Amino acid sequence: MQPIQYAIIGGTGVYDSSLSSYQKSVQTEYGGVEVEIAEVQGKQVVFLPRHGKQHGIPPHLINYRANIKALHELGVQQIFATAAVGSLNPDYPTGSLVVISDFIDTTKQRPLTFFEGGSAGVKHVNMDDPYCCNLRKQLLETAKLHGLKLAGAAVYICTEGPRFETEAEIKIMRQWGADVVGMTSVPEVILAKELGMCYASVGFVVNMATGMESGAIQFDKIEEILASNKEKVNMMFLDIFSKILNQQACQCSDSIVSL
Ligand code: HPA
């Protein structure tokens, strides 16, 4: 099978409607993964719904290593992801789209690496540019053409979930410099980098985080926000892929330090 260079994680919807696609099972040492492969302007793109096709896998139980390994085995070099997030930053109100630029990890019980020592040795991955600078630049340059407004760059704090945060936690997270909170970007972004793949993510702000507004946290706009942006954002990703990116403008494929 020819390698497939591009992938979209979390991008359900596009292949259901306008693109012809086929399903494929990929077996990895971490488990099996179901993906959808679509043909877009003569190029193949892998779609991987992070929570499963029926949205049945909660964030703390996603098999992140199997997902990323499966993409790598298919030949993927560039990944765009989407993530629903809560906002800690009043400049990013509900409905905003943000480009995730960095992360803070507060997860507790997820396998975080492919590097387990033994005969493979001790390896570390650089985190100076966790979200590929090249892909992020392309997002900023391409959004307007697709009628999308990106509100800015955002530091993502990843919680274990599946519960939401307490008000006291959000207060601390704001002091740490977090702009948005979610439950899935870690370890996804780390694992992609460990395998030398470029990864960037667009956050959909679906609510203000706990305590950011008076009264109970409001989730009533989630469906509307996802539905009104998903298709356009996926089209933007496909447009960027069609420009044939190479990895010369970033260091993602060379991020491993062996000690
Ligand atoms: N917290 C954590 N994850 C989330 C949130 C939130 O407020 N909204 C969407 N994903």
Side-chain angles (χ1 to χ4, degrees), residues 3 5 33 38 49 67 114 208 255:
Q5 190 179 342
V33 178
N67 283 352
F114 290 115
M208 294 309 286
S255 300

Side-chain angles (χ1 to χ4, degrees), residues 37-69:
I37 296 172
E39 179 102 10
V40 187
Q41 291 168 11
K43 286 185 186 168
Q44 292 200 306
V45 178
V46 187
F47 286 86
L48 171 52
R50 182 188 289 123
H51 297 274
K53 260 205 126 170
Q54 312 302 327
H55 203 89
I57 313 170
H60 65 299
L61 296 179
I62 292 170
N63 191 342
Y64 295 96
R65 288 196 296 190
N67 283 352
I68 295 298
K69 189 78 179 183

Side-chain angles (χ1 to χ4, degrees), residues 81-130:
T82 54
V85 294
S87 177
L88 291 73
N89 183 340
D91 291 341
Y92 299 152
T94 302
S96 314
L97 300 181
V98 294
V99 177
I100 299 172
S101 57
D102 206 343
F103 71 79
I104 301 169
D105 178 17
T106 70
T107 64
K108 300 185 178 90
Q109 56 155 27
R110 306 175 183 191
L112 292 169
T113 181
F114 290 115
F115 303 142
E116 304 282 15
S119 60
V122 175
K123 291 181 184 169
H124 305 272
V125 64
N126 267 332
M127 283 289 117
D128 48 5
D129 188 26

Side-chain angles (χ1 to χ4, degrees), residues 21-22 33 54-55 115 159 194 197 204 210 234 244 246:
S21 67
Y22 65 94
V33 178
Q54 312 302 327
H55 203 89
F115 303 142
T159 59
E194 283 191 349
M197 295 185 277
F204 292 32
T210 312
N234 278 333
I244 314 183
N246 60 44

Side-chain angles (χ1 to χ4, degrees), residues 59 83-88 156-159 161-165 170 180-184 204-210 217 219 222:
V85 294
S87 177
L88 291 73
Y156 178 112
I157 189 158
C158 194
T159 59
R163 70 167 176 89
F164 287 101
E165 302 69 43
I170 292 295
V180 296
V181 57
M183 303 174 189
T184 57
F204 292 32
V205 177
V206 294
N207 60 279
M208 294 309 286
T210 312
I217 187 167
F219 293 110
I222 291 186

